[in-house]
């Protein structure tokens, strides 16, 4: 059983930065693909980015390219989402998800999910 816990959300002004953490337990991140998603109330959960454990390849949603970066801290079994140049449109609950076989953009393909962390960007 994989357990994911996100943290690092909060309130930040537009143009600011936040770093979200996704701490995994139950399986090493060297054997899991990790995806980041976000959701605004009343809307579908959207793909933000992902990292593949097989080759470290990264995929980002177009709207966050050049602003968000995913990285891994093997010592703490944590996947990080560094978010820079934040915009009010980035306001959402952010989730990390994992799967042993899939690293794409589809929400339904990820097997394990964290509880989410709120990010609010004020204008």
């Amino acid at each position: 059983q994989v357990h994911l816990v996100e943290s690092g959300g909060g309130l930040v002004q537009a143009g600011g930065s936040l770093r979200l953490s996704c701490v995994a337990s139950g399986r090493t991140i060297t054997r899991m693909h990790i995806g980041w998603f976000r959701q605004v109330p009343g809307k579908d959960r959207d793909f933000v980015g992902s990292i593949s454990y097989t080759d470290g390849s990264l995929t980002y949603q177009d709207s966050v390219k050049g602003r968000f970066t995913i990285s891994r801290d093997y010592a703490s079994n944590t996947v990080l989402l560094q978010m820079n140049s934040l915009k009010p449109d980035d306001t959402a609950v952010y989730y990390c998800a994992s799967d042993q076989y899939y690293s794409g953009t589809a929400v339904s393909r990820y097997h394990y999910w964290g509880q989410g962390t709120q990010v609010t960007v004020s204008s």
Side-chain angles (χ1 to χ4, degrees), residues 1-89:
Q1 183 77 11
V2 174
H3 189 53
L4 304 172
V5 178
E6 304 96 332
S7 64
L11 174 63
V12 64
Q13 288 188 330
S17 298
L18 282 174
R19 188 177 73 169
L20 305 185
S21 298
C22 173
V23 179
S25 59
R27 183 185 288 269
T28 172
I29 59 173
T30 61
R31 301 291 293 174
M32 295 190 293
H33 303 295
I34 299 291
W36 283 97
F37 295 79
R38 63 188 181 186
Q39 188 170 24
V40 175
K43 295 190 176 181
D44 292 337
R45 193 166 295 187
D46 290 333
F47 175 79
V48 173
S50 65
I51 184 165
S52 167
Y53 79 84
T54 53
D55 59 3
S57 60
L58 298 164
T59 305
Y60 296 101
Q61 180 200 104
D62 285 347
S63 68
V64 306
K65 283 180 181 177
R67 300 189 298 123
F68 290 13
T69 304
I70 296 172
S71 61
R72 293 176 289 190
D73 180 352
Y74 296 113
S76 60
N77 212 37
T78 299
V79 177
L80 304 167
L81 178 66
Q82 178 67 43
M83 306 187 295
N84 299 328
S85 302
L86 283 162
K87 306 174 182 179
D89 284 350

